[in-house]
Amino acid sequence: MSPAPNYEFQEWWNKQRDHNHQFFTNDLLSLQITNPLPLPLPDPAADKDRSRSARQLSWLCLLRFQQLANCLASFANASLLLLRTANRRIFSTDSSSDSSASRLYRVIKFFLFLVILLLCFELVAFFKGWHFSPPSVAEAEAAVELVYAKWLEIRADYLAPPLQSLANVCIVLFLVQSVDRVVLILGCFWIKFRKLKPTAAMEYPAGRVEGENVEDYPMVLVQIPMCNEREVYQQSIAAVCIMDWPKERMLVQVLDDSDDVNVQLLIKAEVQKWQHRGVHILYRHRLIRTGYKAGNLKSAMNCDYVKNYEFVAIFDADFQPAPDFLKKTIPHFQGNDDIALVQTRWAFVNKDENLLTRLQNINLSFHFEVEQQVNGVFINFFGFNGTAGVWRIEALEDCGGWLERTTVEDMDIAVRAHLSGWKFVYLNDVKCLCELPESYEAYKKQQHRWHSGPMQLFRLCFFDILRSKVSMGKKANLIFLFFLLRKLILPFYSFTLFCIILPLTMFLPEAQLPAWVVCYVPGIMSVFNILPAPRSFPFIVPYLLFENTMSVTKFNAMISGLFRFGSSYEWIVTKKSGRSSEADLIAYEKESDTFMEATSLLRSSSDSGLEELSKLEATKKSLKTKRNRLYRKELALAFILLTASVRSLLSAQGIHFYFLLFQGELIDGHCVPGWEFHEIQSHGSMVDQTMGFGDQRREAPKPAPEDVKLCAVFCLCCVMLIANKLRPEAGQHRRRFFICQELLKRNINGAGKDAAPFVFVLDWNGH
């Protein structure tokens, strides 16, 4: 016969439901109670068979203790090994003279210690229930409760107001910079709609025309500055030497600042090879290597034969201009004596190599498609990109030539030429192939130089801008837009707002950042930035977070340049991998064959001497095992953001939690450079006896799996944001959870073994 139903639990349940009726308006819980089946009686014989002796139990306990000790020892060894590996691979790019970087790291480290301490304090308060009923100083009983009450008063009266004021200032700067981006986008749309672009007064015929007068072609000097460019020197020299321009009207200068004797010999041999083929090309090497690239170009322009040339084209060592480059750029100078510079667009041969190159492609595509084009069409001024451009030599001499006072000599000479009244032309449809940095270390050093140099230049030329004879509009554009807004304010508010203020508002909830500042406006700006590279749309979320995390490097560089710290004058050549030489060398070979037939030049027999140098090149290209490194500033910042995300989870702040979590994990991803996929080594071989090109075959890169992953992350973020809008209020959600937990606890602990089994059916209402 079955036992009688348990009416006691049913009555207790009805009382609790009536008492907490306001928390169950949405039918959060429904309870189904059924009568249990009769329980079988225990079998004494079976219990006797299952009994164990005391000796067996003691051996079993010893075995369990041994397994537990082995697990603890393994965990301790693994933790120790992880700490040793991390300590060994912690990489600091801070030189001995880089005091700003060390100061910034100490500040970030102190900030990390502070937020971890605050998180522990908030965890204690959360489990004590003080988040829902904050204690007061008068009613506090325990010492910890009194300390927490004092902390609430201090943060509300003294800490939150200045933090909120700083947040408001950064929000205003953020909005101003966003308006500037929108204006640039509208200007670009207007250019596309009206089909505005520079037009040349004349055109040169493609290819070589019989009977043409070479005097119609102006004298052009082509300069290739390089320094220890072992991986890319061949294709850059070859691309310049096969350009479609009369050879007697062009001179190529290879300006080698290499301190490696073997690289010097290789470059010198390459120059001699093209000299034997009839190309006017010279090799220059400075004994006193001062001034970096600016000093190299200045030394080359001091040669006596430079006065015979009218224009100078500059290409960095990893740039490969098309054969018709000069025929598309030089005509824009004809009939326009006030044009000083014709700048062309960069095209990237390795933009799909890994996630880092994809994100760089988004930034640089916006820079060339929007910023450079809009400034070139409407105000005839923009920053010279340092390469892939043609200068009028008269303009260079008029504004004082190359100066060695900053690490951004290209921007320096562009500003001085603009103040002297010269105009610039930007050609968006003329592209020059180049290579993007594929490692985070190389990219970080490049960005440090690009963001510290403008602050050096602004400090040096500020009074020159005020004293110049240009219009007030041009002065305002240079000071407020070109320097302050885009070079100083952008890294300042990006680092301060998203890496400092946002984590602090999690621990000081009295100061708040609106959701549109954290999510919506940055998302819209990211969409605008990706418009020039629409194929990169799946990377919009990593791009948004990556730009905020890179603000650490940019902010540090900006401070270094503004206050003249030692690292601001440090020039480190961006490491090249030479990936652009695979398909291009074949094309260069075909072009060179055509060039040889057209000019009726015989190949020199002295090329056989290159065999010794090719052997030297093959032996020097040894395969080095690259190890991942941990970048300490980025790693510390990642822990700060992840700690803040844990704190935001306690407060159920959805958008803030997702932003901090993804941003912290993204920093973790690039401070351990595992995202630099396809690091394929170069294998040198014998130089071809007829063409002299090295066999630089590489295995084809495997399809990058992060494309699918990033699309999934993007969709997940959208789903989370939509779900966040559908969720009920955070406090009501927490109360419902604690009621469910309490009901389960009471029923399980107090019902006894005779209680009826039950089933909870939860209706979460969309979350």
Side-chain angles (χ1 to χ4, degrees):
M1 182 176 179
S2 60
N6 188 1
Y7 295 105
E8 181 182 358
F9 173 75
Q10 208 166 11
E11 291 175 358
W12 174 84
W13 170 264
N14 294 332
K15 290 180 181 179
Q16 291 295 327
R17 183 184 59 186
D18 295 336
H19 180 67
N20 300 304
H21 178 70
Q22 64 273 23
F23 300 136
F24 292 90
T25 56
N26 293 330
D27 296 333
L28 175 66
L29 300 174
S30 61
L31 181 66
Q32 177 184 358
I33 302 178
T34 60
N35 291 330
L37 297 176
L39 298 176
L41 296 176
D43 188 1
D47 292 342
K48 185 176 181 180
D49 293 338
R50 288 195 298 266
S51 62
R52 297 290 185 268
S53 64
R55 184 175 181 182
Q56 289 176 326
L57 291 176
S58 62
W59 280 107
L60 181 62
C61 292
L62 288 176
L63 181 61
R64 296 298 184 189
F65 280 123
Q66 184 181 7
Q67 292 177 350
L68 179 61
N70 291 336
C71 291
L72 292 177
S74 301
F75 179 76
N77 291 334
S79 302
L80 185 60
L81 180 62
L82 179 62
L83 291 176
R84 287 179 177 176
T85 304
N87 186 50
R88 185 171 63 252
R89 295 190 178 184
I90 288 245
F91 178 70
S92 172
T93 56
D94 311 335
S95 59
S96 58
S97 60
D98 191 1
S99 56
S100 67
S102 59
R103 290 194 191 101
L104 181 62
Y105 174 64
R106 287 197 294 267
V107 171
I108 293 177
K109 190 165 60 172
F110 171 76
F111 190 39
L112 174 61
F113 174 77
L114 181 63
V115 296
I116 292 177
L117 184 63
L118 290 177
L119 178 62
C120 296
F121 199 28
E122 294 293 341
L123 285 174
V124 173
F126 179 81
F127 288 110
K128 291 285 187 178
W130 297 338
H131 281 187
F132 314 116
S133 56
S136 62
V137 178
E139 299 176 356
E141 298 178 357
V144 178
E145 188 175 3
L146 179 62
V147 171
Y148 187 74
K150 284 287 187 182
W151 161 246
L152 293 180
E153 291 184 357
I154 292 174
R155 79 183 190 187
D157 298 337
Y158 301 103
L159 299 180
L163 181 63
Q164 187 67 58
S165 301
L166 180 60
N168 294 336
V169 172
C170 290
I171 290 174
V172 171
L173 297 178
F174 176 44
L175 293 178
V176 171
Q177 198 270 339
S178 300
V179 171
D180 176 61
R181 287 294 174 100
V182 173
V183 171
L184 290 174
I185 288 291
L186 294 177
C188 185
F189 282 150
W190 181 256
I191 291 173
K192 298 295 183 183
F193 176 72
R194 298 297 300 269
K195 298 181 180 179
L196 304 176
K197 68 176 185 177
T199 56
M202 58 164 297
E203 291 184 0
Y204 289 106
R208 294 177 175 82
V209 180
E210 295 183 0
E212 65 177 350
N213 186 10
V214 296
E215 298 295 331
D216 296 336
Y217 293 84
M219 299 287 287
V220 178
L221 179 67
V222 182
Q223 296 178 334
I224 312 177
M226 58 179 63
C227 180
N228 297 323
E229 308 283 0
R230 179 191 296 271
E231 295 81 10
V232 294
Y233 73 93
Q234 282 184 316
Q235 63 259 29
S236 61
I237 295 177
V240 168
C241 289
I242 64 173
M243 282 199 298
D244 187 10
W245 198 260
K247 65 179 186 304
E248 59 269 21
R249 310 292 291 179
M250 180 180 71
L251 174 65
V252 181
Q253 286 182 321
V254 179
L255 311 178
D256 182 25
D257 258 5
S258 304
D259 54 3
D260 189 339
V261 179
N262 296 324
V263 177
Q264 295 177 23
L265 294 176
L266 292 171
I267 298 175
K268 190 179 298 184
E270 186 73 14
V271 170
Q272 292 175 356
K273 179 186 70 177
W274 288 100
Q275 285 176 344
H276 292 312
R277 293 173 182 172
V279 179
H280 293 178
I281 182 171
L282 298 176
Y283 174 85
R284 283 181 54 85
H285 179 74
R286 295 190 299 163
L287 296 179
I288 303 176
R289 301 167 58 248
T290 58
Y292 303 112
K293 181 180 177 181
N296 198 0
L297 294 173
K298 181 180 179 180
S299 174
M301 294 299 294
N302 289 332
C303 297
D304 295 335
Y305 53 79
V306 173
K307 64 179 180 292
N308 300 324
Y309 294 85
E310 187 176 355
F311 305 102
V312 54
I314 303 173
F315 302 99
D316 283 349
D318 61 318
F319 279 72
Q320 304 144 45
D324 60 350
F325 180 88
L326 293 178
K327 288 190 174 182
K328 289 185 176 180
T329 54
I330 297 297
H332 290 272
F333 291 99
Q334 306 299 330
N336 299 309
D337 295 336
D338 57 346
I339 299 297
L341 167 67
V342 174
Q343 174 70 57
T344 63
R345 181 172 179 170
W346 298 0
F348 311 107
V349 296
N350 61 337
K351 61 182 179 181
D352 295 325
E353 190 64 32
N354 55 45
L355 178 59
L356 180 60
T357 57
R358 288 185 173 96
L359 300 181
Q360 292 179 71
N361 179 55
I362 296 174
N363 259 339
L364 292 174
S365 295
F366 181 86
H367 170 70
F368 284 104
E369 183 80 20
V370 180
E371 291 181 344
Q372 297 290 77
Q373 186 172 208
V374 170
N375 291 329
V377 169
F378 291 106
I379 62 177
N380 297 117
F381 168 72
F382 47 83
F384 175 45
N385 295 115
T387 179
V390 182
W391 277 90
R392 190 188 296 271
I393 295 181
E394 179 186 354
L396 289 178
E397 295 173 349
D398 180 59
C399 62
W402 299 101
L403 298 181
E404 307 169 8
R405 57 182 182 173
T406 68
T407 57
V408 284
E409 73 293 329
D410 45 8
M411 186 181 295
D412 185 6
I413 200 167
V415 171
R416 287 186 282 117
H418 181 58
L419 296 178
S420 299
W422 293 93
K423 296 181 179 180
F424 300 164
V425 172
Y426 174 73
L427 302 179
N428 192 57
D429 54 348
V430 180
K431 299 180 180 180
C432 188
L433 295 177
C434 64
E435 182 180 330
L436 290 167
E438 296 181 8
S439 67
Y440 177 69
E441 180 181 354
Y443 177 67
K444 185 178 178 181
K445 293 177 180 177
Q446 181 193 70
Q447 291 300 305
H448 187 277
R449 176 165 53 86
W450 285 4
H451 287 82
S452 64
M455 290 297 98
Q456 303 172 22
L457 181 60
F458 178 66
R459 192 185 63 253
L460 293 172
C461 69
F462 176 72
F463 292 104
D464 294 335
I465 296 174
L466 296 179
R467 290 191 295 262
S468 64
K469 298 180 180 180
V470 298
S471 63
M472 292 300 297
K474 292 183 177 180
K475 292 180 181 179
N477 173 70
L478 272 176
I479 294 176
F480 294 106
L481 292 181
F482 187 76
F483 280 112
L484 289 181
L485 182 59
R486 297 168 187 165
K487 302 297 188 297
L488 188 147
I489 292 178
L490 177 59
F492 170 76
Y493 87 76
S494 182
F495 173 73
T496 307
L497 185 62
F498 295 104
C499 298
I500 298 297
I501 296 178
L502 179 59
L504 278 179
T505 55
M506 299 298 101
F507 298 96
L508 305 175
E510 291 82 4
Q512 297 180 353
L513 283 180
W516 56 268
V517 174
V518 178
C519 178
Y520 302 123
V521 175
I524 295 173
M525 292 299 105
S526 298
V527 172
F528 285 163
N529 289 345
I530 290 182
L531 288 180
R535 293 181 58 187
S536 301
F537 185 76
F539 306 97
I540 181 173
V541 174
Y543 171 73
L544 169 62
L545 302 178
F546 175 72
E547 281 301 295
N548 292 331
T549 55
M550 276 304 298
S551 62
V552 184
T553 298
K554 297 176 181 179
F555 178 80
N556 178 40
M558 183 266 293
I559 294 297
S560 300
L562 190 61
F563 297 102
R564 295 194 296 182
F565 293 129
S567 63
S568 61
Y569 294 95
E570 184 179 9
W571 179 292
I572 299 177
V573 179
T574 305
K575 181 65 176 175
K576 316 293 192 311
S577 61
R579 299 198 190 283
S580 54
S581 61
E582 295 141 1
D584 301 315
L585 286 179
I586 301 175
Y588 295 155
E589 183 173 356
K590 295 178 181 178
E591 292 284 345
S592 184
D593 287 338
T594 306
F595 172 78
M596 294 290 292
E597 293 174 2
T599 55
S600 302
L601 292 175
L602 298 176
R603 295 173 181 174
S604 174
S605 60
S606 62
D607 284 345
S608 59
L610 297 178
E611 183 177 357
E612 298 297 328
L613 291 175
S614 66
K615 294 179 180 179
L616 176 63
E617 182 180 14
T619 56
K620 293 297 289 184
K621 287 186 177 181
S622 57
L623 298 178
K624 297 181 179 179
T625 303
K626 300 189 70 174
R627 297 168 58 185
N628 288 340
R629 291 172 173 175
L630 304 178
Y631 295 86
R632 60 182 190 176
K633 286 196 295 290
E634 287 80 356
L635 190 62
L637 182 61
F639 282 120
I640 290 175
L641 295 175
L642 292 176
T643 304
S645 69
V646 176
R647 175 63 182 88
S648 68
L649 184 62
L650 300 180
S651 302
Q653 294 175 322
I655 292 179
H656 299 73
F657 168 71
Y658 302 138
F659 184 89
L660 290 166
L661 179 65
F662 288 138
Q663 183 172 337
E665 291 191 351
L666 184 64
I667 302 180
D668 267 333
H670 80 247
C671 72
V672 183
W675 65 353
E676 299 156 11
F677 303 108
H678 320 317
E679 193 65 37
I680 306 170
Q681 298 291 339
S682 171
H683 301 276
S685 65
M686 297 292 292
V687 178
D688 188 277
Q689 293 297 317
T690 58
M691 286 303 301
F693 292 118
D695 180 12
Q696 299 191 12
R697 300 183 184 90
R698 296 171 177 82
E699 58 185 77
K702 300 178 181 179
E706 71 272 18
D707 295 349
V708 180
K709 295 179 181 178
L710 288 173
C711 291
V713 169
F714 175 69
C715 296
L716 179 63
C717 292
C718 296
V719 171
M720 286 181 170
L721 292 177
I722 295 173
N724 181 75
K725 303 303 292 184
L726 299 176
R727 57 182 294 174
E729 293 298 328
Q732 185 178 0
H733 169 70
R734 286 194 299 267
R735 288 191 294 269
R736 290 177 177 178
F737 173 76
F738 285 123
I739 291 172
C740 298
Q741 187 181 26
E742 186 66 22
L743 291 175
L744 288 171
K745 187 187 301 183
R746 291 184 183 180
N747 185 62
I748 293 173
N749 295 336
K753 61 182 179 181
D754 294 332
F758 56 92
V759 178
F760 278 108
V761 181
L762 303 180
D763 179 17
W764 291 104
N765 292 327
H767 62 278

